[in-house]
Amino acid sequence: MRISLHLHIILVTTFLMVNSLFAQSTFEFVSKKKTAKIPFKLVSNLIVIPVKVNGTELSFLLDTGVKETILFNVSKVDSIALNSAEVFSIKGANDVEVSALKSKNNIFEVENIKSSDQVVYVAFNQESNLSAYLGEEIHGILGYHFFKDFVVEFAYDHEFVKVYEKGKFRSKWKRYKEVDLKLLKGKPYVKAKLGRDVVDNFLLDTGMSDGLWVFKEDTVSTNFFGYYEDYLGMTVSGEILGKRSKVKELGFVGETFNEVKISYPHMHLLPDELKNFSERAGSIGGDLLKRFTIVFDYASSKMYMKPNKHINDPFYYNKSGIVIRQDGEANEKNNNNKLIKNLKENNFISYVDLTYLLAPEFIIDHVREDSPAAMAGVLKDDVLLEVNGNKTHKYNLKTLNSFFYDKENKEVKIKLQRKGQVLEKTFLLKSPLKKTALVQN
């Protein structure tokens, strides 16, 4: 059986599982050495680590914002073996149900850490692909079942994760800020201060690229700074749209951040799990968390945090209005309906052959209304050929995006291909928010 799997879960990695999914998968050290140092790539503020799944080398997001282990895109490998599986459904944005597989007794290996009983959920969605938006191959998400078995340290500034036995406490952590965690359904929640108000139940979400999402709009802030409607990201079944603005002051683990970038997702476009969780205030994600070294101790419901060299880095905005994806095509067409029919009949899959290849081509995926790029005539699905005279195939997605986060009034010249015709467009970068005295946009 040969298929391609596409699934882009953001930047807000959220699943509403229709079936009961809380299986107890266990990780443990497999050598006398009871620590592990895992190098990672920091991609759009997300932590990507190497994971071997049933003998196949893959790349996973290490994500506190999800409970179950998820596989959604396998690329640059000929095949991956999955153990016995059954079909079920998950529900995402716009109440759209997506067919998925539940596979049991899989072997996961990360350095000298191993699990021989991992339950993996494989989701099928032909409309989206996370790797295309990050410019890096991402195959899945590793969440609660990894964190619950260890004490886990994130060194964002040095790009490694250090894993310790449960119950371990290093003396240097006494110098860190101790923070109480509230674990609900396998996810950690913390307090933060917005302006003068202390707010409970922010999800601490290392799988969210943005720094701060809040579900209840602060109209005082949006009136002061202004706001703009924007594409915020995507769940398993659709886009998430909302407002972007700033908040004057955020207090978090003893640090004060001024004029923090904030997003207010439109609630009717969120999955039911978010809409119905009335106590949840929002999410704190990678753009804030990367400014700290963080130690997660789920067993003790504690977290320890220390500012790193990025603590005073500014918060950047996309001043062009362009969202780019790195495009690719599956080697073979995914006949998903036939696959699901076969799985329902047999309720078992012993071997899945998955292939997805990213082509070195950059596509305009979204153009914000009234943005500089929109006013210059850039359209969705234009192919980006050059930026300021630089051919795009020489750059990765991260570098290309940096051109659009540059200084105010910086001139950007781009060359596009549209329906076989090559076009040139020029525009000036402009902040979509009001200028203030504290921080330049």
Side-chain angles (χ1 to χ4, degrees):
M1 184 184 302
R2 196 169 182 83
I3 63 173
S4 66
L5 298 184
H6 304 235
L7 177 62
H8 174 214
I9 301 177
I10 178 190
L11 307 175
V12 117
T13 46
T14 305
F15 275 87
L16 173 62
M17 301 301 184
V18 176
N19 290 26
S20 176
L21 305 182
F22 200 18
Q24 291 296 321
S25 303
T26 302
F27 282 92
E28 59 186 1
F29 291 107
V30 292
S31 65
K32 292 182 179 180
K33 184 180 179 182
K34 301 304 180 183
T35 62
K37 187 175 181 179
I38 307 166
F40 69 76
K41 287 185 179 180
L42 190 62
V43 182
S44 294
N45 303 324
L46 307 177
I47 290 177
V48 182
I49 65 170
V51 178
K52 188 178 289 187
V53 180
N54 297 333
T56 301
E57 294 280 357
L58 301 175
S59 295
F60 274 62
L61 297 180
L62 197 51
D63 186 357
T64 56
V66 297
K67 183 167 151 184
E68 305 302 333
T69 303
I70 301 163
L71 181 69
F72 52 80
N73 182 53
V74 179
S75 61
K76 295 185 179 179
V77 294
D78 292 330
S79 61
I80 178 172
L82 294 178
N83 294 325
S84 57
E86 59 187 37
V87 178
F88 69 101
S89 295
I90 56 177
K91 187 180 292 184
N94 307 312
D95 294 328
V96 176
E97 288 196 0
V98 180
S99 296
L101 303 178
K102 176 182 177 181
S103 175
K104 303 176 183 178
N105 302 319
N106 295 285
I107 299 173
F108 272 55
E109 298 171 271
V110 187
E111 294 292 330
N112 61 318
I113 296 170
K114 184 177 182 179
S115 171
S116 299
D117 59 355
Q118 273 295 300
V119 176
V120 181
Y121 297 91
V122 186
F124 298 92
N125 184 337
Q126 298 182 12
E127 299 304 319
S128 52
N129 169 39
L130 179 59
S131 297
Y133 292 84
L134 297 180
E136 294 280 346
E137 292 291 339
I138 310 294
H139 309 109
I141 300 174
L142 197 56
Y144 170 78
H145 294 293
F146 185 83
F147 289 93
K148 71 178 175 60
D149 292 325
F150 305 106
V151 175
V152 183
E153 179 180 4
F154 283 10
Y156 276 98
D157 52 342
H158 297 294
E159 298 197 359
F160 69 80
V161 173
K162 197 74 176 289
V163 183
Y164 305 89
E165 283 185 296
K166 191 184 298 185
K168 176 72 174 181
F169 186 88
R170 300 188 65 190
S171 59
K172 72 173 185 177
W173 296 341
K174 293 179 181 179
R175 302 190 296 271
Y176 291 24
K177 175 72 173 180
E178 181 180 309
V179 181
D180 290 328
L181 291 180
K182 182 191 295 184
L183 288 169
L184 299 174
K185 299 182 179 179
K187 301 176 185 179
Y189 291 82
V190 295
K191 296 180 180 180
K193 189 175 181 181
L194 288 175
R196 298 179 180 178
D197 300 324
V198 176
V199 182
D200 290 329
N201 289 348
F202 275 103
L203 173 64
L204 201 72
D205 191 354
T206 63
M208 186 178 83
S209 180
D210 280 348
L212 183 63
W213 280 28
V214 175
F215 296 152
K216 183 179 180 181
E217 182 181 338
D218 177 3
T219 55
V220 174
S221 292
T222 53
N223 287 336
F224 182 78
F225 291 107
Y227 70 88
Y228 60 100
E229 297 284 342
D230 201 13
Y231 167 92
L232 303 185
M234 187 175 289
T235 66
V236 295
S237 55
E239 294 181 344
I240 297 295
L241 304 176
K243 296 179 179 179
R244 292 194 191 274
S245 185
K246 292 181 181 180
V247 62
K248 280 188 177 181
E249 188 175 281
L250 171 70
F252 179 55
V253 295
E255 299 292 328
T256 299
F257 299 91
N258 294 315
E259 297 205 356
V260 177
K261 183 169 65 174
I262 189 171
S263 299
Y264 302 102
H266 292 318
M267 296 300 292
H268 66 283
L269 295 179
L270 292 175
D272 282 344
E273 185 180 57
L274 297 185
K275 288 186 287 189
N276 296 336
F277 192 59
S278 58
E279 294 184 354
R280 180 171 170 183
S283 299
I284 293 174
D287 198 20
L288 270 169
L289 300 177
K290 71 179 181 182
R291 300 157 196 268
F292 298 87
T293 296
I294 308 175
V295 179
F296 296 97
D297 186 352
Y298 276 23
S300 300
S301 296
K302 295 290 185 181
M303 175 176 69
Y304 304 91
M305 301 184 71
K306 180 183 178 182
N308 63 28
K309 63 184 179 182
H310 299 295
I311 189 67
N312 294 317
D313 285 357
F315 294 91
Y316 293 103
Y317 288 80
N318 184 333
K319 301 182 183 69
S320 69
I322 291 174
V323 175
I324 308 172
R325 74 173 188 269
Q326 184 174 325
D327 205 22
E329 296 180 0
N331 286 353
E332 294 189 24
K333 186 177 179 180
N334 179 7
N335 190 358
N336 192 56
N337 291 333
K338 182 178 179 180
L339 169 67
I340 297 301
K341 181 176 182 293
N342 180 61
L343 291 169
K344 286 180 177 178
E345 290 174 352
N346 297 292
N347 200 34
F348 177 85
I349 181 169
S350 59
Y351 198 84
V352 180
D353 189 356
L354 310 169
T355 305
Y356 190 85
L357 178 63
L358 283 177
E361 185 173 62
F362 298 95
I363 310 296
I364 307 298
D365 189 72
H366 183 82
V367 183
R368 188 174 69 242
E369 187 176 354
D370 297 327
S371 66
M375 300 297 287
V378 179
L379 300 179
K380 177 180 170 62
D381 295 327
D382 286 345
V383 180
L384 185 62
L385 303 178
E386 293 183 10
V387 180
N388 292 340
N390 301 295
K391 296 186 183 300
T392 57
H393 67 80
K394 296 181 180 180
Y395 295 90
N396 58 29
L397 189 60
K398 178 181 178 180
T399 303
L400 286 178
N401 278 324
S402 69
F403 286 110
F404 304 123
Y405 286 74
D406 213 327
K407 296 179 181 179
E408 184 86 358
N409 294 317
K410 178 71 176 291
E411 184 178 78
V412 176
K413 296 181 179 180
I414 60 176
K415 185 177 289 187
L416 305 168
Q417 183 175 337
R418 182 185 302 163
K419 297 180 179 179
Q421 184 179 6
V422 176
L423 306 172
E424 294 185 359
K425 304 290 183 182
T426 301
F427 53 84
L428 300 180
L429 297 179
K430 295 288 185 182
S431 172
L433 299 175
K434 298 176 183 177
K435 304 295 185 302
T436 64
L438 292 176
V439 178
Q440 292 298 314
N441 294 304

